[in-house]
Amino acid sequence: MLDQLEAIRERFDEVAQQIVQPEVVSDQKRFMKLSKEYKDLEKIVVQYRAYTQLLEEIDNAKKIIATEKDEDFRELAKAELDELVPRRETLEETLKEMLIPKDPNDSKNVILEIRGGTGGDEAAIFAGDLFRMYQRFCDRMGWRMSLVDYTEGTSGGYKEIIAEVEGEDVYGKLKFESGVHRVQRVPATETQGRIHTSAASVAVLPEAEEVDVDLNMNDIRKDTFCSSGAGGQSVNTTYSAVRLTHLPTGLVVQCQDERSQLKNLEKALTVLRSRLYEIELQKHNDAIASQRKTMVGSGDRSDKIRTYNYPQSRVTDHRIGLTVYNLPAVMDGDIDEFIEQLRIAENAERLKEGATA
């Protein structure tokens, strides 16, 4: 582990020198790439420096215990050693976790897609509730969320809503949200007071950059139309909304959130790239999943991952068996505990794999 950490420190020093070179500063793409690498390496190097300092302190305490003749000094050194050793063990665990190879997509922005499933109007209302939950979570994280497209439900909520989320490590945190979310409650439309079960599906796609997907514009048919709001009313009279059809796969993407056709085209292309990227990513994940079945799951959007039970104020994540009884807070965006526990479960599996490899 120490050799690995030393190699990271050396690379960190290299990047620190490169990042201030005039030719790098003037090349925005290279500068941004190196800045990100610097930031990622710095987190590990800070902990590594703290660890080496701690090892020195432990060595000094051991030397005093072995050589010092003054009993009081030796007792002080023993007390210090009793404090330092547990700190070393904690820091070693932190460093081991940091050295687990990261999913290269973790730092990417995402395309968030939520669709009402079984349950008709109530499913659309629940899809709207989930969207607001993610909106509030994104606000708390300091991320930027922007709408791409949506279809409103007849009694509220959304039959489908698509948004782009930008920020730091967005996919790394939101990727566990992909799957079927189930709700158990008395719908607003229910007159007999019976509890219904409805569902909405969530898909979290890592936002693909141009370098990730080779998109041939000759394979895309572009259609334009007037943006429409609630009730089919025209938002504007110009053909600013864009619909793209990827002819080889039949994938259709549309964006009508922006007033500018060019901006809608850019957003639609981003979504299309991300969906094509996800198809390839899913093939890759399926190949891995055929070798091992992870506790956290494959990220398959058909997996039932979480249940929101309103009468009991209960939320259960079925992948890790975590249940909390604070549903109002969860629906207000407090999903940190689920994300953290799922991340821990994934890291534990990766450590296990590393140990058996």
Side-chain angles (χ1 to χ4, degrees):
M1 185 176 80
L2 286 173
D3 289 344
Q4 205 175 345
L5 288 165
E6 189 55 32
I8 287 169
R9 187 198 60 75
E10 285 174 9
R11 176 59 187 162
F12 175 72
D13 291 342
E14 275 177 37
V15 173
Q17 288 176 352
Q18 288 176 25
I19 214 164
V20 294
Q21 298 302 317
E23 64 270 21
V24 172
V25 176
S26 60
D27 184 343
Q28 197 173 4
K29 276 193 176 177
R30 195 175 167 208
F31 180 73
M32 284 175 71
K33 188 182 175 186
L34 284 170
S35 295
K36 191 193 169 304
E37 188 181 358
Y38 180 88
K39 202 172 179 183
D40 290 343
L41 293 173
E42 187 180 29
K43 293 172 189 172
I44 301 172
V45 170
V46 166
Q47 295 294 334
Y48 175 45
R49 284 173 179 160
Y51 181 65
T52 53
Q53 176 67 33
L54 195 60
L55 291 181
E56 280 181 27
E57 290 174 16
I58 288 171
D59 279 346
N60 289 338
K62 284 179 177 176
K63 280 176 188 172
I64 290 169
I65 292 166
T67 60
E68 182 58 55
K69 291 176 182 176
D70 189 309
E71 188 61 32
D72 289 342
F73 269 139
R74 288 174 63 197
E75 287 302 317
L76 282 170
K78 282 177 186 174
E80 188 182 10
L81 195 61
D82 288 342
E83 286 180 21
L84 294 173
V85 170
R87 275 173 57 198
R88 182 189 65 189
E89 289 166 2
T90 303
L91 207 44
E92 279 174 355
E93 286 305 310
T94 302
L95 284 165
K96 277 180 192 172
E97 193 176 301
M98 291 178 103
L99 290 174
I100 297 168
K102 277 184 76 176
D103 181 337
N105 290 313
D106 278 357
S107 60
K108 289 184 182 289
N109 297 327
V110 307
I111 302 298
L112 175 68
E113 303 183 346
I114 305 172
R115 294 177 178 85
T118 53
D121 289 347
E122 168 62 7
I125 292 168
F126 179 53
D129 293 339
L130 286 175
F131 178 69
R132 280 186 291 276
M133 177 181 84
Y134 292 125
Q135 248 183 332
R136 283 161 188 163
F137 178 70
C138 290
D139 287 345
R140 286 177 46 236
M141 294 300 297
W143 297 339
R144 180 175 171 269
M145 179 187 270
S146 57
L147 276 180
V148 173
D149 192 30
Y150 63 91
T151 305
E152 292 182 324
T154 51
S155 300
Y158 302 98
K159 290 179 183 175
E160 175 185 76
I161 184 161
I162 301 167
E164 182 182 23
V165 185
E166 299 170 282
E168 188 178 340
D169 292 333
V170 179
Y171 184 72
K173 289 190 168 66
L174 286 182
K175 64 182 176 182
F176 302 116
E177 295 302 301
S178 280
V180 175
H181 295 241
R182 191 176 65 165
V183 64
Q184 295 169 331
R185 65 184 176 189
V186 179
T189 52
E190 168 61 51
T191 55
Q192 304 294 316
R194 291 171 300 187
I195 294 170
H196 288 224
T197 298
S198 305
S201 67
V202 174
V204 178
L205 285 57
E207 189 174 281
E209 297 164 33
E210 289 182 43
V211 293
D212 295 322
V213 176
D214 184 18
L215 201 57
N216 187 345
M217 293 306 289
N218 293 325
D219 291 338
I220 298 168
R221 187 179 74 235
K222 174 186 162 190
D223 300 302
T224 57
F225 58 99
C226 291
S227 298
S228 60
Q233 295 168 334
S234 178
V235 171
N236 57 52
T237 52
T238 59
Y239 285 77
S240 61
V242 173
R243 183 183 294 113
L244 301 179
T245 305
H246 188 246
L247 301 173
T249 60
L251 282 174
V252 178
V253 169
Q254 68 180 40
C255 180
Q256 57 175 326
D257 186 55
E258 303 286 349
R259 291 190 176 275
S260 150
Q261 187 187 122
L262 186 62
K263 285 184 177 176
N264 280 329
L265 175 62
E266 284 174 6
K267 276 192 175 182
L269 280 169
T270 299
V271 175
L272 181 58
R273 257 190 228 104
S274 299
R275 286 189 184 167
L276 290 168
Y277 182 66
E278 195 219 13
I279 290 170
E280 292 307 310
L281 190 63
Q282 195 60 52
K283 285 180 190 171
H284 173 72
N285 288 345
D286 288 346
I288 294 171
S290 66
Q291 297 167 28
R292 61 170 172 86
K293 181 65 181 169
T294 71
M295 182 203 309
V296 174
S298 61
D300 190 322
R301 62 183 73 176
S302 65
D303 290 345
K304 183 186 77 178
I305 62 164
R306 201 173 291 152
T307 296
Y308 304 75
N309 184 296
Y310 275 67
Q312 297 174 17
S313 190
R314 169 173 59 81
V315 185
T316 299
D317 195 292
H318 304 290
R319 295 163 293 183
I320 50 174
L322 174 63
T323 296
V324 298
Y325 290 89
N326 61 344
L327 186 140
V330 170
M331 298 313 292
D332 201 37
D334 186 5
I335 57 173
D336 306 69
E337 187 175 357
F338 289 108
I339 288 168
E340 180 61 14
Q341 292 303 317
L342 286 159
R343 188 188 65 78
I344 289 168
E346 184 189 52
N347 283 345
E349 283 171 358
R350 287 190 176 188
L351 274 172
K352 210 182 293 176
E353 278 177 8
T356 56

